Short mmCIF file of all heavy atoms in Angstrom, two decimals:
data_model
loop_
_atom_site.label_atom_id
_atom_site.label_comp_id
_atom_site.label_asym_id
_atom_site.label_seq_id
_atom_site.Cartn_x
_atom_site.Cartn_y
_atom_site.Cartn_z
N ALA J 216 5.52 2.20 -24.97
CA ALA J 216 5.12 3.59 -25.15
C ALA J 216 3.63 3.64 -25.13
O ALA J 216 2.90 2.75 -25.38
CB ALA J 216 5.70 4.16 -26.43
N TRP J 217 3.16 4.87 -24.84
CA TRP J 217 1.82 5.21 -24.99
C TRP J 217 1.63 6.18 -26.12
O TRP J 217 2.56 7.03 -26.45
CB TRP J 217 1.32 5.91 -23.73
CG TRP J 217 1.06 5.00 -22.61
CD1 TRP J 217 1.89 4.69 -21.55
CD2 TRP J 217 -0.16 4.26 -22.36
NE1 TRP J 217 1.32 3.78 -20.69
CE2 TRP J 217 0.06 3.49 -21.21
CE3 TRP J 217 -1.43 4.10 -23.00
CZ2 TRP J 217 -0.89 2.67 -20.70
CZ3 TRP J 217 -2.36 3.31 -22.42
CH2 TRP J 217 -2.13 2.58 -21.33
N TYR J 218 0.52 6.08 -26.82
CA TYR J 218 0.20 6.88 -27.97
C TYR J 218 -1.20 7.45 -27.83
O TYR J 218 -2.08 6.76 -27.21
CB TYR J 218 0.29 6.04 -29.30
CG TYR J 218 1.63 5.46 -29.53
CD1 TYR J 218 1.98 4.23 -28.90
CD2 TYR J 218 2.63 6.10 -30.33
CE1 TYR J 218 3.24 3.64 -29.15
CE2 TYR J 218 3.90 5.53 -30.47
CZ TYR J 218 4.20 4.36 -29.95
OH TYR J 218 5.45 3.72 -30.03
N HIS J 219 -1.58 8.60 -28.45
CA HIS J 219 -2.80 9.22 -28.31
C HIS J 219 -3.35 9.55 -29.71
O HIS J 219 -2.60 10.08 -30.56
CB HIS J 219 -2.61 10.57 -27.57
CG HIS J 219 -3.71 11.48 -27.58
ND1 HIS J 219 -3.56 12.87 -27.92
CD2 HIS J 219 -5.10 11.35 -27.27
CE1 HIS J 219 -4.81 13.40 -27.86
NE2 HIS J 219 -5.65 12.54 -27.41
N GLN J 220 -4.60 9.24 -29.92
CA GLN J 220 -5.27 9.64 -31.09
C GLN J 220 -6.41 10.41 -30.74
O GLN J 220 -7.46 10.00 -30.26
CB GLN J 220 -5.65 8.32 -31.91
CG GLN J 220 -6.23 8.69 -33.25
CD GLN J 220 -6.32 7.42 -34.13
OE1 GLN J 220 -6.32 6.36 -33.73
NE2 GLN J 220 -6.33 7.64 -35.52
N ALA J 221 -6.32 11.72 -31.12
CA ALA J 221 -7.44 12.63 -30.96
C ALA J 221 -8.46 12.45 -32.04
O ALA J 221 -8.10 11.88 -33.11
CB ALA J 221 -6.94 14.11 -30.94
N PRO J 222 -9.73 12.84 -31.79
CA PRO J 222 -10.82 12.61 -32.83
C PRO J 222 -10.42 13.28 -34.14
O PRO J 222 -10.04 14.40 -34.21
CB PRO J 222 -11.98 13.31 -32.23
CG PRO J 222 -11.74 13.25 -30.74
CD PRO J 222 -10.26 13.41 -30.59
N GLY J 223 -10.39 12.51 -35.27
CA GLY J 223 -10.09 12.97 -36.53
C GLY J 223 -8.74 13.19 -36.88
O GLY J 223 -8.36 13.79 -37.90
N LYS J 224 -7.74 12.73 -35.98
CA LYS J 224 -6.39 13.09 -36.18
C LYS J 224 -5.51 11.80 -36.16
O LYS J 224 -5.99 10.70 -35.87
CB LYS J 224 -5.81 13.99 -35.06
CG LYS J 224 -6.54 15.38 -35.07
CD LYS J 224 -5.80 16.35 -34.21
CE LYS J 224 -6.48 17.69 -34.38
NZ LYS J 224 -5.80 18.75 -33.43
N GLU J 225 -4.21 11.97 -36.56
CA GLU J 225 -3.35 10.91 -36.52
C GLU J 225 -2.98 10.41 -35.03
O GLU J 225 -3.02 11.26 -34.24
CB GLU J 225 -2.00 11.25 -37.32
CG GLU J 225 -2.19 11.64 -38.74
CD GLU J 225 -2.43 10.38 -39.56
OE1 GLU J 225 -1.78 9.36 -39.30
OE2 GLU J 225 -3.25 10.39 -40.48
N ARG J 226 -2.47 9.22 -34.94
CA ARG J 226 -2.02 8.73 -33.67
C ARG J 226 -0.63 9.25 -33.41
O ARG J 226 0.24 9.21 -34.23
CB ARG J 226 -1.93 7.18 -33.67
CG ARG J 226 -1.84 6.58 -32.37
CD ARG J 226 -2.46 5.15 -32.28
NE ARG J 226 -2.28 4.45 -33.53
CZ ARG J 226 -3.10 3.40 -33.91
NH1 ARG J 226 -4.02 3.02 -33.08
NH2 ARG J 226 -2.98 2.85 -35.09
N ASP J 227 -0.44 9.93 -32.25
CA ASP J 227 0.83 10.56 -31.88
C ASP J 227 1.48 9.91 -30.67
O ASP J 227 0.82 9.37 -29.86
CB ASP J 227 0.57 12.06 -31.58
CG ASP J 227 0.10 12.82 -32.71
OD1 ASP J 227 0.50 12.46 -33.85
OD2 ASP J 227 -0.65 13.84 -32.52
N PHE J 228 2.79 10.08 -30.65
CA PHE J 228 3.52 9.60 -29.44
C PHE J 228 3.28 10.44 -28.23
O PHE J 228 3.16 11.72 -28.35
CB PHE J 228 5.03 9.64 -29.82
CG PHE J 228 5.92 9.53 -28.65
CD1 PHE J 228 6.20 8.19 -28.20
CD2 PHE J 228 6.55 10.58 -28.10
CE1 PHE J 228 7.11 8.05 -27.11
CE2 PHE J 228 7.39 10.39 -27.02
CZ PHE J 228 7.67 9.24 -26.49
N VAL J 229 3.19 9.79 -27.06
CA VAL J 229 2.90 10.52 -25.86
C VAL J 229 4.18 10.34 -24.92
O VAL J 229 4.74 11.39 -24.49
CB VAL J 229 1.65 10.04 -25.18
CG1 VAL J 229 1.55 10.60 -23.69
CG2 VAL J 229 0.46 10.27 -25.95
N ALA J 230 4.50 9.12 -24.62
CA ALA J 230 5.62 8.81 -23.72
C ALA J 230 6.14 7.47 -23.90
O ALA J 230 5.38 6.49 -24.37
CB ALA J 230 5.14 8.94 -22.25
N ALA J 231 7.41 7.21 -23.61
CA ALA J 231 8.04 5.93 -23.63
C ALA J 231 8.87 5.68 -22.48
O ALA J 231 9.42 6.56 -21.81
CB ALA J 231 8.90 5.87 -25.00
N ILE J 232 9.04 4.35 -22.21
CA ILE J 232 9.89 3.91 -20.98
C ILE J 232 10.73 2.72 -21.52
O ILE J 232 10.16 1.77 -22.05
CB ILE J 232 9.04 3.63 -19.78
CG1 ILE J 232 9.96 3.25 -18.58
CG2 ILE J 232 8.03 2.45 -20.06
CD1 ILE J 232 9.23 3.25 -17.30
N ALA J 233 12.04 2.80 -21.29
CA ALA J 233 12.88 1.75 -21.70
C ALA J 233 12.92 0.57 -20.72
O ALA J 233 12.37 0.81 -19.56
CB ALA J 233 14.29 2.33 -21.83
N GLY J 234 13.44 -0.50 -21.08
CA GLY J 234 13.46 -1.69 -20.15
C GLY J 234 14.25 -1.33 -18.86
O GLY J 234 13.83 -1.82 -17.79
N GLY J 235 15.20 -0.44 -18.94
CA GLY J 235 16.04 -0.03 -17.82
C GLY J 235 15.33 1.14 -16.98
O GLY J 235 15.94 1.57 -15.95
N GLY J 236 14.27 1.66 -17.53
CA GLY J 236 13.49 2.75 -16.79
C GLY J 236 13.66 4.13 -17.30
O GLY J 236 12.91 5.05 -16.84
N GLY J 237 14.56 4.33 -18.27
CA GLY J 237 14.63 5.69 -18.85
C GLY J 237 13.35 6.11 -19.53
O GLY J 237 12.72 5.22 -20.08
N THR J 238 13.00 7.37 -19.44
CA THR J 238 11.77 7.87 -20.04
C THR J 238 11.95 8.96 -20.94
O THR J 238 12.92 9.72 -20.97
CB THR J 238 10.82 8.27 -18.90
OG1 THR J 238 11.40 9.32 -18.15
CG2 THR J 238 10.41 7.17 -17.96
N ASN J 239 10.92 9.15 -21.87
CA ASN J 239 10.83 10.22 -22.81
C ASN J 239 9.49 10.58 -23.01
O ASN J 239 8.57 9.79 -23.00
CB ASN J 239 11.51 9.82 -24.19
CG ASN J 239 11.77 10.86 -25.07
OD1 ASN J 239 11.97 12.08 -24.70
ND2 ASN J 239 11.64 10.64 -26.38
N TYR J 240 9.22 11.95 -23.21
CA TYR J 240 7.86 12.39 -23.23
C TYR J 240 7.74 13.39 -24.43
O TYR J 240 8.57 14.21 -24.72
CB TYR J 240 7.49 13.21 -21.98
CG TYR J 240 7.42 12.36 -20.76
CD1 TYR J 240 8.62 12.22 -19.92
CD2 TYR J 240 6.33 11.68 -20.36
CE1 TYR J 240 8.59 11.37 -18.83
CE2 TYR J 240 6.27 10.87 -19.21
CZ TYR J 240 7.39 10.75 -18.45
OH TYR J 240 7.42 9.94 -17.42
N ALA J 241 6.51 13.40 -24.98
CA ALA J 241 6.19 14.48 -25.90
C ALA J 241 6.10 15.84 -25.22
O ALA J 241 5.73 15.87 -23.98
CB ALA J 241 4.79 14.21 -26.56
N ASP J 242 6.47 16.89 -25.79
CA ASP J 242 6.61 18.25 -25.16
C ASP J 242 5.19 18.59 -24.62
O ASP J 242 5.13 19.26 -23.56
CB ASP J 242 6.97 19.31 -26.19
CG ASP J 242 8.38 19.16 -26.52
OD1 ASP J 242 9.16 18.58 -25.78
OD2 ASP J 242 8.83 19.83 -27.60
N SER J 243 4.05 18.23 -25.21
CA SER J 243 2.72 18.57 -24.77
C SER J 243 2.33 17.98 -23.48
O SER J 243 1.49 18.53 -22.84
CB SER J 243 1.80 18.14 -25.84
OG SER J 243 1.82 16.75 -26.01
N VAL J 244 3.02 16.99 -23.00
CA VAL J 244 2.64 16.33 -21.72
C VAL J 244 3.76 16.40 -20.69
O VAL J 244 3.54 15.91 -19.55
CB VAL J 244 2.27 14.79 -21.95
CG1 VAL J 244 1.22 14.68 -23.00
CG2 VAL J 244 3.53 13.97 -22.29
N LYS J 245 4.91 16.99 -20.97
CA LYS J 245 6.03 16.95 -20.04
C LYS J 245 5.53 17.74 -18.77
O LYS J 245 4.93 18.80 -18.88
CB LYS J 245 7.20 17.72 -20.59
CG LYS J 245 8.02 16.86 -21.53
CD LYS J 245 9.19 17.56 -22.09
CE LYS J 245 9.98 16.70 -23.05
NZ LYS J 245 11.14 17.41 -23.68
N GLY J 246 5.78 17.25 -17.61
CA GLY J 246 5.41 17.83 -16.37
C GLY J 246 4.00 17.52 -15.85
O GLY J 246 3.63 17.82 -14.79
N ARG J 247 3.22 16.86 -16.80
CA ARG J 247 1.83 16.52 -16.48
C ARG J 247 1.63 15.00 -16.39
O ARG J 247 0.89 14.48 -15.58
CB ARG J 247 0.87 17.11 -17.44
CG ARG J 247 0.94 18.65 -17.52
CD ARG J 247 -0.25 19.19 -18.33
NE ARG J 247 -0.33 18.72 -19.65
CZ ARG J 247 -1.24 18.01 -20.29
NH1 ARG J 247 -2.33 17.78 -19.59
NH2 ARG J 247 -1.16 17.70 -21.60
N PHE J 248 2.26 14.25 -17.32
CA PHE J 248 2.11 12.83 -17.42
C PHE J 248 3.33 12.13 -16.98
O PHE J 248 4.48 12.62 -17.17
CB PHE J 248 1.77 12.40 -18.86
CG PHE J 248 0.54 12.84 -19.42
CD1 PHE J 248 -0.32 13.65 -18.74
CD2 PHE J 248 0.12 12.38 -20.65
CE1 PHE J 248 -1.50 14.04 -19.21
CE2 PHE J 248 -1.07 12.73 -21.23
CZ PHE J 248 -1.94 13.60 -20.47
N THR J 249 3.25 10.96 -16.34
CA THR J 249 4.41 10.11 -15.92
C THR J 249 4.12 8.68 -16.41
O THR J 249 3.15 8.12 -16.08
CB THR J 249 4.48 10.19 -14.44
OG1 THR J 249 4.72 11.48 -13.96
CG2 THR J 249 5.74 9.36 -13.94
N ILE J 250 5.06 8.17 -17.08
CA ILE J 250 4.99 6.74 -17.55
C ILE J 250 5.81 5.96 -16.54
O ILE J 250 6.94 6.37 -16.11
CB ILE J 250 5.53 6.63 -18.94
CG1 ILE J 250 5.23 5.10 -19.51
CG2 ILE J 250 6.95 6.97 -19.11
CD1 ILE J 250 5.44 5.09 -20.98
N SER J 251 5.29 4.77 -16.28
CA SER J 251 6.06 3.84 -15.35
C SER J 251 5.78 2.40 -15.76
O SER J 251 4.88 2.15 -16.61
CB SER J 251 5.70 4.08 -13.92
OG SER J 251 4.32 3.89 -13.69
N ARG J 252 6.43 1.43 -15.16
CA ARG J 252 6.24 0.10 -15.49
C ARG J 252 6.43 -0.84 -14.25
O ARG J 252 7.22 -0.46 -13.44
CB ARG J 252 7.16 -0.36 -16.71
CG ARG J 252 8.61 -0.37 -16.36
CD ARG J 252 9.49 -0.51 -17.64
NE ARG J 252 9.19 -1.70 -18.42
CZ ARG J 252 9.39 -1.99 -19.67
NH1 ARG J 252 9.95 -0.92 -20.40
NH2 ARG J 252 9.14 -3.01 -20.26
N ASP J 253 5.77 -1.94 -14.33
CA ASP J 253 5.97 -2.97 -13.31
C ASP J 253 6.15 -4.31 -14.12
O ASP J 253 5.23 -4.89 -14.57
CB ASP J 253 4.74 -3.12 -12.42
CG ASP J 253 4.98 -4.06 -11.26
OD1 ASP J 253 5.95 -4.93 -11.35
OD2 ASP J 253 4.18 -4.08 -10.27
N ASN J 254 7.47 -4.64 -14.24
CA ASN J 254 7.75 -5.83 -15.06
C ASN J 254 7.23 -7.13 -14.40
O ASN J 254 7.09 -8.10 -15.21
CB ASN J 254 9.28 -5.95 -15.35
CG ASN J 254 9.71 -4.76 -16.27
OD1 ASN J 254 9.03 -4.32 -17.16
ND2 ASN J 254 10.93 -4.36 -16.02
#
């Protein structure tokens, strides 16, 4: 997964990708960010 820490704030979840390729995104980045992997 990727996580984001804005200045002065807690680290938050952004996106995750499973070993099989399934993905999940925070609502704030859906449609804008894409997570991928090259094993």
Side-chain angles (χ1 to χ4, degrees):
W217 284 95
Y218 302 84
H219 168 234
Q220 188 165 23
K224 296 190 176 180
E225 298 286 322
R226 192 154 34 202
D227 292 328
F228 167 80
V229 174
I232 185 165
T238 58
N239 189 31
Y240 296 91
D242 287 344
S243 59
V244 306
K245 283 181 181 176
R247 300 190 299 122
F248 292 8
T249 303
I250 189 170
S251 61
R252 66 192 301 159
D253 184 346
N254 291 328

